[in-house]
Amino acid sequence: MRKRVFSGVQPSGILTLGNYLGAIKRFVEIQDEFEAFYCVVDYHAITVPQPPESLRSQIARTAAFMLGAGLDPEKMTLFVQSDVPAHTQLGWIMECTATFGELSRMTQFKDKSQGKESVSGGLFTYPALMAADILLYDADAVPVGEDQKQHVELCRDLAERFNSRFGSVLKVPEPLIAETGARIMSLQDPHKKMSKSDPNPSGYISLADSKDDIAKKIRRAVTDSGREVAYDPEEKPALANLITIFSHCSGRSIDEVVAAYEGKGYAEFKKDLAEVVVEALTPVQARHDAIVADGSYVEVLREGARRAHEVSSTVLRRVKEAMGLSLFIDPEGVRI
Ligand code: AMP
Ligand code: TRP
């Protein structure tokens, strides 16, 4: 039997090149090898305020970009989190399994809450819902970027704790993180990850950026001192980030890219980098636009939610039974 993977992407803005290289491109690469469940995690997105109209369109566009990147509805299951009732239900149970101390140690929470006057309770318990997402599908592995490693480790701890209290009920998943490309950095600050919530749009390339925007952002990207195109993540982190992007977008190894620019300056490298990024993103954008225009994502998400409900409701039942929670009413509220 094929092993299972589960992963989620927040519809909290237009996806970036970091999301694409760190997560979605890999989702596509592994959809043959694994039985894959991919989820647009809208409940996670509302941990910070989202205007309804833009949330609605972001959910559609996130799904359309994922399909546009090459996810195939014949091969994998794609769905929206809020369409499947088991997520919040197991989410609550995971909140009761996690401790306050554990949740307080999550670096993403610390980063996102820092300096904010008001932070939702959901932003704090976010990793418990993420654990529920994964555990509901008996996932063997979770393909994510480096920034999500701590959350997946917490998910493992919660599953192990649950099993030690209630018997062997939950599958303990492994993170699946690539060696390179799992942490694409901001074009303006190589010590910050590329993020769609960056207030400065020059820091990220969005999947919806035009050719001109992409070229402009790459031209303006910070580089390190020196003139040589050399890969040195410690001493030259900004350039190393650009070389990593080049390598992933072109399919050439880091060594090949460095060798190709021996004796050439940053300007030529950046000009070619803009071309390879545009070449990688243009087909994804064209398919995204077509999918949004014809609305075909709707049927994919509907069928995805049906399939996800089938799997997740069975796991939720197992959990409730082990804990002594009521089984008289099933998760849909239908008498059994
Ligand atoms: P998010 O947009 O936070 O929902 O992230 C969706 C996926 O993209 C997760 O697996 C993240 O780890 C991954 N991701 C987000 N930003 C980056 C980045 N800058 N580099 C690599 N992966 C990323
Ligand atoms: N927290 C993840 C992120 O910000 C999104 C996410 C939610 C997720 N649920 C998940 C990722 C389950 C993997 C598995 O990127």
Side-chain angles (χ1 to χ4, degrees):
M1 220 171 66
R2 280 185 309 165
K3 289 198 165 181
R4 255 195 207 158
V5 290
F6 181 95
S7 198
V9 178
Q10 294 190 67
S12 50
I14 300 207
L15 298 179
T16 69
L17 186 62
N19 293 128
Y20 179 64
L21 298 180
I24 292 160
K25 185 160 170 277
R26 301 196 62 225
F27 297 174
V28 176
E29 286 160 4
I30 63 176
Q31 65 181 337
D32 290 309
E33 186 187 343
F34 292 92
E35 187 191 354
F37 287 83
Y38 297 125
C39 183
V40 178
V41 290
D42 52 352
Y43 281 139
H44 281 100
I46 61 163
T47 52
V48 296
Q50 304 284 346
E53 273 318 307
S54 75
L55 182 59
R56 224 184 317 273
S57 96
Q58 281 317 325
I59 293 169
R61 296 194 73 181
T62 302
F65 271 123
M66 293 172 81
L67 294 167
L71 289 181
D72 179 348
E74 302 285 319
K75 295 181 180 167
M76 53 88 233
T77 301
L78 178 67
F79 67 102
V80 178
Q81 190 182 29
S82 68
D83 283 335
V84 179
H87 288 253
T88 41
Q89 296 179 15
L90 187 63
W92 175 254
I93 295 172
M94 286 300 119
E95 283 182 39
C96 297
T97 309
T99 65
F100 184 84
E102 264 169 344
L103 294 171
S104 309
R105 283 193 291 277
M106 294 293 116
T107 57
Q108 182 170 307
F109 174 72
K110 289 193 229 171
D111 291 348
K112 289 201 171 177
S113 58
Q114 205 179 25
K116 298 259 162 64
E117 213 166 89
S118 164
V119 168
S120 74
L123 192 69
F124 184 67
T125 56
Y126 174 118
L129 179 60
M130 173 163 165
D133 296 342
I134 298 165
L135 298 172
L136 281 170
Y137 298 87
D138 286 333
D140 296 281
V142 188
V144 279
E146 185 69 43
D147 62 324
Q148 295 303 313
K149 188 166 179 215
Q150 194 187 29
H151 287 160
V152 181
E153 298 291 347
L154 176 68
C155 172
R156 288 172 58 84
D157 291 345
L158 297 183
E160 280 167 2
R161 185 172 310 149
F162 188 95
N163 288 346
S164 73
R165 286 185 189 156
F166 301 110
S168 185
V169 177
L170 296 172
K171 174 127 210 169
V172 182
E174 303 278 345
L176 197 67
I177 298 173
E179 276 174 26
T180 66
R183 197 164 167 75
I184 300 295
M185 308 311 285
S186 157
L187 299 179
Q188 292 299 316
D189 178 356
H191 302 290
K192 250 176 47 187
K193 77 162 187 174
M194 181 180 284
S195 163
K196 53 191 170 223
S197 54
D198 190 335
N200 176 5
S202 305
Y204 60 85
I205 289 173
S206 121
L207 296 196
D209 279 347
S210 68
K211 282 181 191 167
D212 288 348
D213 286 337
I214 294 172
K216 210 185 297 164
K217 289 181 182 181
I218 290 178
R219 223 179 305 123
R220 287 198 197 135
V222 297
T223 39
D224 308 280
S225 57
R227 322 187 59 231
E228 237 176 283
V229 179
Y231 183 76
D232 184 346
E234 291 295 317
E235 297 296 321
K236 295 181 160 205
L239 192 57
N241 186 43
L242 298 182
I243 295 172
T244 303
I245 294 173
F246 198 123
S247 161
H248 280 268
C249 287
S250 64
R252 288 152 78 183
S253 72
I254 302 256
D255 288 346
E256 280 168 350
V257 176
V258 171
Y261 290 91
E262 211 186 306
K264 299 178 184 167
Y266 289 167
E268 186 168 350
F269 169 71
K270 280 182 160 183
K271 190 170 120 311
D272 292 354
L273 174 59
E275 256 167 53
V276 298
V277 172
V278 166
E279 231 166 83
L281 297 189
T282 303
V284 178
Q285 292 177 340
R287 285 191 294 262
H288 160 275
D289 295 352
I291 291 165
V292 170
D294 68 16
S296 55
Y297 64 92
V298 176
E299 208 33 60
V300 173
L301 294 175
R302 196 197 317 276
E303 177 53 25
R306 197 199 53 73
R307 169 96 184 104
H309 177 59
E310 206 172 81
V311 175
S312 60
S313 57
T314 311
V315 176
L316 181 66
R317 247 191 107 73
R318 221 162 67 203
V319 167
K320 289 176 74 174
E321 187 155 19
M323 295 178 79
L325 290 168
S326 170
L327 292 170
F328 301 126
I329 305 281
D330 86 357
E332 292 284 71
V334 178
R335 266 190 188 282
I336 48 172

